[in-house]
């Protein structure tokens, strides 16, 4: 079975790393990776390929920037050409980015079976670009790999019940694989000058927070307030960096640094007293490290983290108590389950 995998953005590199590793170990299945170019800065892309040992992409499309339509359209055109040339038995897509959507459309129009990792997540907030990408990709997929039971239920509500598998969360696999060596291998605490257990960690990049000036200023003011008692370390996403420059904003009490690699972010998570984020991935990684998280959004698709008391929305001042464990994300064997199901599908 020959799989063509489409990735393009930071969270996808982390997810693909664990699945590609299992594919490499499994006879009878091969993979070629297409990198669309959506994230291209070294610290948003190549650092993950190097640190996580992701196979070199067979195709680098170098498609970046532009509006959603322009970016997705250019990807669609080039992905179709790649799929026609490669003739894969299946196309594997991850998550909810424009690269996911373009990969989905290109594959199904060519009648190539589509497989979606991280299927069934819903925020039920259609102004969020990721939500549209999820809904369309799920509707088109032949196999849907769900991280949680709730994501299986979400799909059922939309009439999708065939080819649906609750496999757990590949991000947990990734945390077990790389996160554990972070403590030994990363010197990010020394580099940034923060003390173990005595800093907050923040990331912020969702369009709903960055694209509206009033909203962005409100979130920054909230972060400044949180950072009054403890320094906050903030690896700044390139989009957020641009918005800060545009509005001439420098948050007080917050130490801005460039985005860091996977080992460094796990070291920072492990030592943090709290996490403030609008990232889907970081909400769960905070839980994996048992660090309380505040989600800088008005809703989340990772509701288990809220129900287990490790996460709260910034609109809600309290965590649910008592704090519990989340079984849904699995035991670190999600990637193996996905590859086994792919083999069965062939
Ligand atoms: N991440 C990272 N370096 C950083 C910030 C985040 O490696 O400076 C990782 C983070 O740990 C998580 C992934 O990037 O595994 C999440 O990506 P992002 O927040 O861009 O996307 P989302 O999860 O919101 O889709």
């Amino acid at each position: 079975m020959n799989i063509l995998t489409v990735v393009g953005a930071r969270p996808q590199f982390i997810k693909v790393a664990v699945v590609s590793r299992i594919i490499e170990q499994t006879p009878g299945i091969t993979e070629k990776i297409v990198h669309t170019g959506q994230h291209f800065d070294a610290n948003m892309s190549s650092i993950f390929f190097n640190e996580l040992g992701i196979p070199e992409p067979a195709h680098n499309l170098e498609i970046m920037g532009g509006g959603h339509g322009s970016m997705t359209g250019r990807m669609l055109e080039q992905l179709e050409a790649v799929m026609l040339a490669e003739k894969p038995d299946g196309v594997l897509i991850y998550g909810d980015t424009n690269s996911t959507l373009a990969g989905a459309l290109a594959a199904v129009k060519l009648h190539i079976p589509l497989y979606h990792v991280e299927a069934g997540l819903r925020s039920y907030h259609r102004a969020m670009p990721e939500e549209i990408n999820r809904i369309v990709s799920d509707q088109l997929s032949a196999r849907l790999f769900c991280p949680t039971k709730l994501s299986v239920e979400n799909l059922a509500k939309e009439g999708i019940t065939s080819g649906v598998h609750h496999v757990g969360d590949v991000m947990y696999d990734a945390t077990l694989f790389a996160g554990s060596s972070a403590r030994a291998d990363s010197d990010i605490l020394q580099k940034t000058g923060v003390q173990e257990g005595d800093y907050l960690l923040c990331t912020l990049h969702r369009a709903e927070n960055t694209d509206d000036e009033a909203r962005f200023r409100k979130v920054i003011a909230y972060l400044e307030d949180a950072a009054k008692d403890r320094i906050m370390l903030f690896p700044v996403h390139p989009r957020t960096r641009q918005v800060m420059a545009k509005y001439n904003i420098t948050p007080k009490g917050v130490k801005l640094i460039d985005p860091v690699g996977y080992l460094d972010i796990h070291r920072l998570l492990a030592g943090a007293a709290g996490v403030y984020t609008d990232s889907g991935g970081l909400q769960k990684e905070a839980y994996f490290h048992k660090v309380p998280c505040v989600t800088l959004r008005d809703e989340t698709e990772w509701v288990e983290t809220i129900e287990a008391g490790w996460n709260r929305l910034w609109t809600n001042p309290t965590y649910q108590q008592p704090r519990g464990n989340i079984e849904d994300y699995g035991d670190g064997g999600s990637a193996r389950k996905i590859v086994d199901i792919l083999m069965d599908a062939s």
Side-chain angles (χ1 to χ4, degrees), residues 9-12 14-15 39 43-44 48 51 96-97 118 130 171 203 205-206 235-237 258-266 269 277-282 285 302:
R10 176 170 66 185
Q12 293 167 328
I14 292 158
K15 291 163 201 163
H39 281 168
N43 56 11
M44 296 292 288
F48 298 101
E51 272 189 341
D96 53 21
T97 71
E118 212 176 69
E130 293 88 347
M171 299 279 291
T203 76
H205 70 282
R206 292 253 98 73
V236 190
H237 190 283
D258 285 334
V260 297
Y262 194 66
L263 293 182
D264 284 346
I265 198 80
H266 274 280
L269 279 159
T277 191
D278 61 3
S279 157
L282 226 72
E285 288 165 338
W302 300 103

Side-chain angles (χ1 to χ4, degrees), residues 117-340:
V117 177
E118 212 176 69
L121 293 180
R122 295 292 181 270
S123 64
Y124 295 102
H125 178 50
R126 286 206 176 193
M128 189 184 180
E130 293 88 347
E131 183 77 352
I132 304 300
N133 297 340
R134 292 174 189 141
I135 293 169
V136 177
S137 301
D138 286 340
Q139 284 292 337
L140 301 178
S141 293
R143 298 275 166 174
L144 300 100
F145 300 114
C146 295
T148 59
K149 289 194 193 96
L150 183 62
S151 47
V152 174
E153 288 165 23
N154 291 338
L155 291 174
K157 280 191 222 153
E158 293 171 23
I160 307 171
T161 50
S162 161
V164 176
H165 306 268
H166 175 209
V167 292
D169 186 9
V170 288
M171 299 279 291
Y172 185 50
D173 297 25
T175 294
L176 290 185
F177 183 79
S180 50
S181 53
R183 202 170 271 278
D185 295 343
S186 164
D187 59 356
I188 190 75
L189 262 53
Q190 295 89 307
K191 268 195 197 150
T192 54
V194 292
Q195 302 301 316
E196 178 93 38
D198 198 22
Y199 62 90
L200 304 169
L201 178 65
C202 170
T203 76
L204 181 74
H205 70 282
R206 292 253 98 73
E208 69 203 68
N209 284 327
T210 58
D211 288 6
D212 176 75
E213 183 182 350
R215 166 89 179 195
F216 187 68
R217 287 190 182 277
K218 201 170 156 191
V219 177
I220 295 293
Y222 180 84
L223 294 174
E224 287 177 335
D225 193 53
K228 270 188 187 142
D229 301 327
R230 247 190 197 125
I231 184 142
M232 180 178 279
L233 202 58
F234 186 167
V236 190
H237 190 283
R239 179 198 293 162
T240 313
R241 183 73 80 176
Q242 276 177 7
V243 175
M244 283 181 176
K246 186 169 158 194
Y247 300 130
N248 199 17
I249 292 173
T250 312
K252 287 182 229 52
V254 179
K255 186 170 174 142
L256 305 181
I257 58 171
D258 285 334
V260 297
Y262 194 66
L263 293 182
D264 284 346
I265 198 80
H266 274 280
R267 182 66 191 94
L268 289 175
L269 279 159
V275 171
Y276 289 73
T277 191
D278 61 3
S279 157
L282 226 72
Q283 286 174 58
K284 285 173 296 160
E285 288 165 338
Y287 160 72
F288 298 151
H289 286 277
K290 299 290 191 290
V291 176
C293 178
V294 177
T295 290
L296 304 164
R297 290 179 46 199
D298 299 346
E299 76 291 304
T300 177
E301 40 298 310
W302 300 103
V303 287
E304 322 67 38
T305 57
I306 303 252
E307 285 162 2
W310 290 98
N311 192 7
R312 68 174 173 86
L313 300 178
W314 71 318
T315 48
N316 180 353
T318 51
Y319 293 93
Q320 288 192 32
Q321 295 292 344
R323 288 200 167 129
N325 285 323
I326 304 171
E327 305 300 330
D328 266 25
Y329 298 146
D331 57 4
S334 303
R336 167 48 68 197
K337 286 186 186 152
I338 289 169
V339 175
D340 286 349

